[in-house]
Amino acid sequence: MAVESDKVGSDGKVWSFCSMPFWQTTHASSSSSSTTTTIPTTSSMHHSVHHQSQILQSLDRSTHQPSTTVSSVAKSLLPTRRRLRLDPPNKLYFPYEPGKQVRSAIAIKNTCKSHVAFKFQTTAPKSCYMRPPGGILGPGESIIATVFKFVEPPENNEKPIDQKSRVKFKIMSLKVKGEMDYVPELFDEQRDHVADEQILRVIFLDPERPSPALDKLKRQLAEAEAALEARKKPPEETGPRVAGEGLVIDEWKERRERYLARQQVEVVDSV
């Protein structure tokens, strides 16, 4: 009988343990474990706070660094703002005359609010040159530059339309402070501020075949020649005109002639 009571007692314990819900077991285990945890001291708390502040500072630096690098990369990818307006914008037209020196023209205008220096460069300095090779333009000022090139004879009996030139030209710009004399050394001294405006390709035109590009080239060359002749002339005097040596001599001659004429009249009358 004692054995049976033990079995019943043991079964009762087993069933009572199995009937306990699982959250009570979890709570009990957590409560027991919480009682065994140690209370942190003041020094350990200060160390953890300092460690967290270091982590936050490193995260702050890591978030700022990519933004600066991204902004610098974005600025480098953006196209450079043009300081000059070119016409034609990216080509130089030459009449195709093999064995001769031919001319092209390009209009350059300053579109900035400040003075801008420009400079030509070419891959064939021995057979090409520019007039002027560089200069300084004021705000809104423009000029027509003339480009000279020697046309090589064709190889293997190539046709003019198939003849291609590997020569290229480049126009560079640089902002300057006010009016000054142009010197090429400006672009070497301020190399970091120099901008490449445009690379110009050479295009040959048939001089015997009329075309809008050929007509425009002739007009630009005529305007460039007229502007060059105007610059050669001395500036007109705007102040009061002073009698020169020639005017004094002419006036003396006129007085002497009048005096001689009166003398002749008096001699005739006396006779």
Side-chain angles (χ1 to χ4, degrees):
M1 293 295 293
V3 173
E4 291 180 357
S5 62
D6 292 336
K7 288 182 179 180
V8 173
S10 61
D11 292 342
K13 289 181 180 180
V14 171
W15 282 107
S16 63
F17 178 78
C18 294
S19 63
M20 184 180 295
F22 66 91
W23 60 82
Q24 293 182 5
T25 58
T26 307
H27 179 69
S29 60
S30 62
S31 62
S32 61
S33 61
S34 63
T35 56
T36 57
T37 55
T38 58
I39 299 175
T41 61
T42 306
S43 60
S44 62
M45 291 178 64
H46 178 71
H47 178 71
S48 62
V49 169
H50 180 67
H51 182 63
Q52 289 178 359
S53 63
Q54 289 181 346
I55 294 175
L56 291 175
Q57 291 177 0
S58 61
L59 289 175
D60 192 14
R61 287 195 298 268
S62 63
T63 53
H64 282 291
Q65 287 178 355
S67 62
T68 55
T69 55
V70 169
S71 62
S72 61
V73 171
K75 289 181 180 179
S76 63
L77 294 176
L78 290 175
T80 307
R81 184 179 178 182
R82 304 295 181 189
R83 301 166 181 164
L84 303 175
R85 182 183 300 167
L86 308 178
D87 185 24
N90 54 6
K91 298 175 183 177
L92 282 177
Y93 294 97
F94 290 90
Y96 185 75
E97 299 179 8
K100 296 182 180 180
Q101 188 182 60
V102 294
R103 297 180 304 164
S104 181
I106 181 170
I108 306 173
K109 183 177 182 179
N110 179 12
T111 58
C112 294
K113 296 181 180 179
S114 60
H115 286 70
V116 174
F118 70 92
K119 180 182 177 181
F120 273 99
Q121 279 190 345
T122 178
T123 56
K126 294 182 179 180
S127 61
C128 303
Y129 69 95
M130 290 67 67
R131 189 179 66 193
I136 296 178
L137 298 176
E141 188 179 358
S142 61
I143 188 176
I144 297 180
T146 307
V147 185
F148 297 83
K149 173 179 169 51
F150 179 78
V151 181
E152 299 288 343
E155 297 179 358
N156 301 324
N157 297 325
E158 289 181 338
K159 296 180 180 179
I161 195 172
D162 297 330
Q163 179 72 9
K164 295 181 180 179
S165 177
R166 297 180 181 178
V167 178
K168 293 183 180 179
F169 296 85
K170 181 170 69 174
I171 297 182
M172 301 180 296
S173 66
L174 173 67
K175 283 187 176 182
V176 295
K177 297 180 180 180
E179 297 181 1
M180 62 176 63
D181 294 333
Y182 169 78
V183 289
E185 288 76 16
L186 284 173
F187 288 82
D188 297 331
E189 296 171 356
Q190 305 182 29
R191 189 174 303 173
D192 296 337
H193 302 283
V194 175
D196 294 338
E197 288 290 333
Q198 187 65 50
I199 295 178
L200 307 171
R201 297 188 299 110
V202 173
I203 303 295
F204 287 117
L205 300 174
D206 188 355
E208 298 180 358
R209 181 180 299 176
S211 63
L214 185 61
D215 295 339
K216 183 177 181 179
L217 174 60
K218 292 180 179 179
R219 290 196 305 269
Q220 286 184 327
L221 288 173
E223 293 178 6
E225 290 295 330
L228 181 62
E229 293 296 329
R231 288 195 296 269
K232 289 181 179 179
K233 293 181 179 180
E236 296 182 358
E237 297 179 357
T238 57
R241 186 176 180 181
V242 180
E245 183 179 359
L247 296 177
V248 174
I249 293 176
D250 293 340
E251 186 177 359
W252 179 80
K253 286 182 178 180
E254 291 178 359
R255 289 181 179 180
R256 186 171 182 276
E257 289 177 356
R258 289 197 297 267
Y259 173 77
L260 293 176
R262 285 197 302 268
Q263 291 293 328
Q264 290 177 0
V265 171
E266 291 177 357
V267 170
V268 172
D269 292 342
S270 63
V271 171

